[in-house]
Amino acid sequence: MRDNIYVTSPLLPPLEEFIPYLEQIWQSKHLTNAGPFHQQLEAELANYLGVEHLCLFSNGTLALLTALQALRVKGEVITTPYSFVATAHSILWNSLTPVFVDIDPLTCNMDPAKIEAAITPETTAILPVHCYGIPCDVDEIQRIADMYDLRVIYDAAHAFGVKQDGLSVLNQGDLSILSFHATKVFNTVEGGAIICRDAKMKKRIDFLKNFGFADETTVVATGINGKMNEVQAAFGMLQLRHIDDALEKRRAVYQRYQSLLQNIPGLRLLEAPENVEWNCAYVPVFIGPEFGCSRDSIYEQMKKENIFTRRYFYPLISEFPMYRGLPSARPGHLSVAESVSASVLCLPVYPTLTLQEVDEIVELLLSFSAHRSGPQIKMAVAEI
Ligand SMILES: *Cc1c(COP(=O)(O)O)cnc(C)c1O
């Protein structure tokens, strides 16, 4: 029996490469509170990502919570039900009201054509997600935000390193947040960041993540403890040395899936638009009735073969108990998100996944298809 294959596996550079970083921390005895690695990682990440200002956090959820605080968001926040639950939790945790808007069936991102109908006098912000790392329709979202004087915070947890027309997508909106959780493209075990446009906002966010301290004796805001520690930051510095190689390997895995899963009846693979430099953060496939085997049956049967795919995002956030009573969570209002959520299956993708493993995953997946012509597909897979 082969080893278990999970949907992701963390980017883990060789252990011996991490030792010198730890020795430096032990020598400096500076374990946290904007230490040398923290400062270095902020500068190098901003440079690598092509953004002006970046504030590190101990995780992405605290970055989201703080982003809403930093912009003093009130009332209602328009968001997507098709995301990881932390997106909407950050709204509720700030005592704000999430208003769900349906998604576009091709990109899985918030459908901008449905935003205006969700705006009320209480609306102050839009919190979209660059789902799977595919950029939202940022121009249209900004146009609507400008028209109604709304703030825009992008949950860019999936969008590390993603560029559109050669520019970082992280410069869009008022703020963007990143997650560096172990399962993400770039990780600091746990970690995250807020990307902002000016030094004044960076200062405010830096105060907020350190209890609101402006100096030793002055507290200017009801801040929180969101600081990234030196061990996390040092791990991030090491990750940066390996990230280009990791991204290249992800793209090779995705391209293998793409070449093997073309023109399969009832199966669609997510694709990035031509002007987008995508990070292949996830490889979702959408299973239609024509495939001849249900999404959940494929999921269960692959599990039996030790291949652990994930149904990102099922259930929808709007189906969880603390959200389902909201007017915007009513049945039928989010029909596109409902049908995408019922058909999606995320296939394994990570830098150390071999192309041979991809072939095995595809072979197994296609064995469930009603259209499978047995040996012929097997041969096609072997020939590539
Ligand atoms: C991972 C993730 C988060 C949360 O980040 P953490 O670092 O795990 O707190 C938020 N939003 C989305 C879309 C995510 O995928």
Side-chain angles (χ1 to χ4, degrees):
M1 203 85 157
R2 89 167 84 66
D3 280 351
N4 290 351
I5 297 180
Y6 297 97
V7 76
T8 189
S9 174
L11 176 53
L12 267 179
L15 180 59
E16 62 272 16
E17 289 185 22
F18 195 40
I19 306 297
Y21 290 88
L22 291 176
E23 282 169 350
Q24 219 170 306
I25 295 173
W26 258 245
Q27 259 159 28
S28 76
K29 300 186 174 59
H30 203 144
L31 300 186
T32 186
N33 288 9
F37 281 124
H38 182 284
Q39 290 179 39
Q40 207 181 339
L41 185 61
E42 281 199 344
E44 294 208 8
L45 265 180
N47 180 48
Y48 178 82
L49 294 169
V51 302
E52 199 70 34
H53 299 283
L54 182 145
C55 311
L56 291 172
F57 275 79
S58 47
N59 63 62
T61 303
L62 278 167
L64 266 175
L65 288 171
T66 307
L68 289 161
Q69 292 273 329
L71 295 175
R72 300 182 171 87
V73 172
K74 300 268 178 301
E76 295 176 2
V77 180
I78 291 173
T79 192
T80 169
Y82 193 78
S83 180
F84 182 59
V85 72
T87 309
H89 274 3
S90 72
I91 299 170
L92 219 51
W93 192 272
N94 271 300
S95 302
L96 304 166
T97 306
V99 176
F100 297 113
V101 160
D102 209 354
I103 60 169
D104 177 295
L106 282 183
T107 64
C108 301
N109 288 327
M110 186 186 285
D111 184 348
K114 293 177 180 158
I115 294 177
E116 281 195 75
I119 296 174
T120 77
E122 305 303 312
T123 311
T124 64
I126 311 176
L127 176 47
V129 178
H130 300 302
C131 196
Y132 307 129
I134 302 286
C136 292
D137 186 345
V138 291
D139 292 338
E140 187 57 13
I141 290 172
Q142 195 58 53
R143 191 189 66 79
I144 296 166
D146 289 344
M147 195 151 63
Y148 292 88
D149 190 24
L150 307 176
R151 307 282 76 75
V152 180
I153 300 170
Y154 281 105
D155 181 339
H158 302 173
F160 186 94
V162 173
K163 289 180 183 159
Q164 194 164 26
D165 298 317
L167 294 172
S168 173
V169 77
L170 302 171
N171 288 313
Q172 297 294 335
D174 294 277
L175 301 174
S176 290
I177 79 99
L178 286 169
S179 165
F180 306 146
H181 184 258
T183 54
K184 304 301 208 276
V185 168
F186 172 94
N187 87 85
T188 58
V189 186
E190 294 264 4
I194 300 180
I195 284 105
C196 62
R197 290 167 166 280
D198 60 70
K200 199 172 155 214
M201 180 55 81
K202 169 152 174 61
K203 204 165 161 187
R204 177 165 166 74
I205 294 166
D206 284 344
F207 291 163
L208 281 171
K209 78 176 189 190
N210 187 29
F211 312 98
F213 276 111
D215 63 39
E216 211 179 300
T217 52
T218 318
V219 174
V220 294
T222 316
I224 199 159
N225 183 358
K227 299 185 272 49
M228 176 179 280
N229 69 50
E230 285 294 279
V231 181
Q232 284 174 292
F235 193 67
M237 288 298 301
L238 175 56
Q239 291 260 319
L240 259 187
R241 284 166 40 188
H242 294 271
I243 190 67
D244 283 331
D245 178 55
L247 284 167
E248 214 171 286
K249 287 178 171 151
R250 279 182 175 276
R251 290 188 182 115
V253 166
Y254 173 76
Q255 278 161 15
R256 185 71 153 213
Y257 278 123
Q258 202 180 29
S259 68
L260 297 173
L261 293 175
Q262 264 174 13
N263 305 318
I264 308 290
L267 191 148
R268 178 172 73 84
L269 190 70
L270 184 75
E271 309 222 6
E274 288 222 333
N275 63 339
V276 170
E277 207 176 298
W278 186 33
N279 59 7
C280 305
Y282 299 85
V283 178
V285 289
F286 306 94
I287 313 288
E290 253 200 278
F291 190 74
C293 183
S294 79
R295 187 274 310 267
D296 287 342
S297 167
I298 297 168
Y299 168 80
E300 294 297 342
Q301 292 188 71
M302 290 187 87
K303 212 188 222 178
K304 284 196 196 117
E305 300 289 330
N306 296 340
I307 295 173
F308 297 86
T309 62
R310 293 296 293 267
R311 290 165 290 186
Y312 297 139
F313 289 97
Y314 165 85
L316 295 175
I317 300 177
S318 48
E319 287 162 9
F320 292 126
M322 61 297 288
Y323 298 102
R324 61 181 171 224
L326 289 168
S328 63
R330 69 187 179 273
H333 179 57
L334 305 167
S335 54
V336 177
E338 278 162 28
S339 75
V340 172
S341 175
S343 73
V344 70
L345 195 67
C346 284
L347 301 178
V349 59
Y350 46 90
T352 50
L353 188 70
T354 67
L355 298 185
Q356 196 190 328
E357 286 170 321
V358 174
D359 293 351
E360 284 174 34
I361 294 162
V362 167
E363 173 68 6
L364 184 61
L365 172 65
L366 294 184
S367 73
F368 306 126
S369 165
H371 302 266
R372 181 195 170 84
S373 40
Q376 271 154 358
I377 285 184
K378 222 178 206 142
M379 262 174 56
V381 168
E383 278 163 14
I384 285 170

